[in-house]
Amino acid sequence: MKTTAPPDPDTRSPKFKPPPLACDAHCHVFGPAAKFPYAPDAPYWPPDSGFESLRKLHSILGIERAVIVHASCHGADMRVTLDAIARSGGRYRGTAIVDPSYSDKDFQRMHEGGIRGVRFNFVQHLGGRPDMAFFDRTVARLAGMGWHLILHLDATDLVEFRKKFEAIRIPMVIDHMGRVKAADGLAQPPFRVLLDFLRNEYFWVKVCGAERVSSKGPPFDDALPFARALVEAAPERVLWGTDWPHPNVGKHMPNDGDLVDLFARMVPEPDLQRKILVDNPALLYGF
């Protein structure tokens, strides 16, 4: 079992003040494992990073809303995410990981609990691509629910699965700018495909994970041109999040206050800041 590093405990207060009702549209809640155990086959075991710690983080950052992205270490056991949403007083929504055992009643229960999408992981170091027949069945199931897909991909998957994704007719959110590598440049085929996706009304993207895109390390400036190109391509379908507590982040653990200030450099225009931090997540998640 791989263990992962804890987040930076000394969150800096950002210089940028997010607008009222700003949403962290990509964060996680892990454990506590004594109450919400990790899956026996989890690809990694993170330190406990529970609801109280997330609320403290958002208080420092000036963020009022959030989307809890249910992570693979908890498998298809949704209790930890549903608990955090229930305790949030309407300020949190969430996304799910499901398996073939999930019934229509399970989906209804999750909807009532604030879940609005299903995440599929294709990333190799987290177990690789899903069973594609189950993927197709789930897409068909979501079509009538008003839910969306979240796609966690390796950059090469953008090219390999292009035709399959383009044939889907429900909203799809691409995590972490498609995990492209900044060193490969703006003209790299995966990023060109991602920009092409954004010409399609069904595709959304998160301009988070700069620490995963960067090839140079802090302050992750080499990720800025990629984020900016995505924002300019489809500002009405862009989301942002911290990715706290940054599981499997690699050798450079970011400070979340710095990531908020990095967003303000990606998007210096107040009207676009409000669109990405407030309006877009409110539309997709029903705040």
Side-chain angles (χ1 to χ4, degrees), residues 222-245:
D222 53 334
L224 288 173
F226 295 85
R228 187 63 197 180
L230 295 169
V231 169
E232 291 177 351
E236 73 282 3
R237 284 179 276 112
V238 172
L239 303 168
W240 172 88
T242 59
D243 194 27
W244 185 89

Side-chain angles (χ1 to χ4, degrees), residues 83-156:
D83 174 78
I85 297 170
R87 295 169 66 185
S88 75
R91 291 177 291 184
Y92 289 177
R93 296 285 189 269
T95 71
I97 291 175
V98 299
D99 63 27
S101 73
Y102 271 69
S103 66
D104 290 343
K105 285 186 177 180
D106 292 324
F107 274 90
Q108 182 61 36
R109 176 177 57 87
M110 289 194 294
H111 187 87
E112 292 169 357
I115 303 299
R116 293 296 182 267
V118 172
R119 192 187 198 208
F120 280 95
N121 168 63
F122 287 69
V123 174
Q124 287 298 325
H125 74 261
L126 296 176
R129 61 197 52 171
D131 175 271
M132 296 311 293
F134 175 62
F135 177 88
D136 291 340
R137 291 196 302 273
T138 304
V139 170
R141 193 173 205 168
L142 301 185
M145 296 180 59
W147 284 23
H148 59 275
L149 285 174
I150 305 93
L151 299 173
H152 188 206
L153 309 168
D154 286 319
T156 53

Side-chain angles (χ1 to χ4, degrees), residues 153-156 158 174-180 194 205-206 213:
L153 309 168
D154 286 319
T156 53
L158 293 163
I174 308 294
D175 277 347
H176 303 321
M177 298 186 265
R179 297 181 67 105
V180 298
L194 184 55
V205 69
K206 293 174 187 169
V213 170

